[in-house]
Amino acid sequence: MSVTQAMEKTDTAHLAWDKRWQTEEGRADWLRPAEDVSALIGRLAQNGPVKALDLGCGVGRHALAFARAGFDTHAMDLSNAGLQELQESARAEDLKIATHLAPMTELPFEDDVFDYVLSFNVIYHGDPEIVRTCVSEIARVLKPGGLYQGTMLSKRNTNFGIGTEVAPDTWVREGDDDKDHPHYYCSARELVDLFGRFELSYLEDKVHSKPGSWHWHLIAELNG
């Protein structure tokens, strides 16, 4: 994808991930749930029935964990390859997971239906308008008092400022992976503003698997 194309439409990273999910090598690093997600799943499972959405589920590492915990599980992505892998994994374990092919800016659900929405390494793939639309959609489908858990790219991330800025704080680094698609980076203050309808209970800037891969991790409750 060229920079010109990225400037025309910024929520395009699913195209790169769809290619990745089609190979065993591409899926290899995305099969185990993140530790902080597993921890929250465990806490939520103690509090009765949970209707949960894995938004941008990929091959379903977190959706599968939801279903194993007994959640009423929905998983959504714009990658057919990812959803197909998830469906095969769910069948192999005899797990019930409803899958949905849809964009992150148009969640195919009624208002106020989920107790918990997770979007891990997903909604920052786009410009600020795309990100705000995603956050608004998450708030729309959550019940009042429902929990959102997710990640955002930090401006401490070593990729911030590299490549071409196609929108405010939104960068494209041309290559052959998802960095060829727009990524939005934010400060703590900007993140808090994005989630203005939520009460943040946890926020930490953490390095992922590679040095310099700083991501915000957050848990937030939707205000009633």
Side-chain angles (χ1 to χ4, degrees):
M1 170 170 293
S2 70
V3 170
T4 299
Q5 290 172 310
M7 293 175 69
E8 293 173 352
K9 184 172 176 59
T10 65
D11 53 339
T12 55
H14 62 278
L15 300 172
W17 289 99
D18 192 67
K19 293 179 181 178
R20 183 175 298 190
W21 300 144
Q22 293 176 44
T23 68
E24 185 174 352
E25 180 182 6
R27 297 188 295 267
D29 292 334
W30 302 92
L31 302 177
R32 183 175 300 177
E35 290 183 4
D36 48 349
V37 176
S38 295
L40 185 55
I41 290 172
R43 297 204 301 271
L44 290 174
Q46 299 174 9
N47 298 326
V50 177
K51 185 171 183 176
L53 170 64
D54 186 358
L55 194 172
C57 62
V59 293
R61 58 179 177 151
H62 294 123
L64 291 165
F66 292 176
R68 294 179 192 123
F71 294 1
D72 177 359
T73 302
H74 292 254
M76 198 205 86
D77 207 289
L78 203 53
S79 163
N80 264 313
L83 292 176
Q84 289 171 6
E85 284 294 320
L86 169 55
Q87 290 162 357
E88 290 180 11
S89 297
R91 282 194 293 268
E93 295 188 47
D94 196 26
L95 296 172
K96 185 178 180 181
I97 298 175
T99 57
H100 310 267
L101 181 70
M104 62 186 182
T105 52
E106 298 178 31
L107 304 187
F109 308 105
E110 298 294 327
D111 298 354
D112 307 333
V113 291
F114 289 103
D115 303 293
Y116 171 44
V117 173
L118 171 74
S119 193
F120 206 85
N121 296 348
V122 177
I123 68 169
Y124 53 70
H125 289 95
D127 60 31
E129 182 179 354
I130 291 293
V131 177
R132 287 190 179 277
T133 299
C134 292
V135 174
S136 178
E137 279 290 274
I138 290 164
R140 181 183 66 78
V141 302
L142 269 173
K143 298 175 183 177
L147 289 183
Y148 172 71
Q149 183 176 25
T151 62
M152 295 291 294
L153 282 172
S154 167
K155 287 185 175 179
R156 295 174 69 189
N157 191 293
T158 55
N159 288 309
F160 176 62
I162 296 177
T164 301
E165 189 174 22
V166 297
D169 296 323
T170 307
W171 294 82
V172 171
R173 190 188 69 199
E174 292 192 66
D176 59 0
D177 65 5
D178 83 316
K179 299 297 187 298
D180 190 31
H181 300 267
H183 285 60
Y184 170 74
Y185 300 78
C186 63
S187 66
R189 180 176 295 178
E190 290 160 343
L191 186 150
V192 170
D193 177 66
L194 277 169
F195 288 88
R197 293 185 59 189
F198 293 79
E199 186 71 28
L200 270 69
S201 60
Y202 169 74
L203 180 63
E204 183 178 358
D205 201 1
K206 299 170 63 173
V207 173
H208 282 192
S209 57
K210 298 178 182 179
S213 59
W214 292 93
H215 286 65
W216 294 109
H217 287 234
L218 66 142
I219 299 173
E221 179 179 325
L222 180 66
N223 291 320

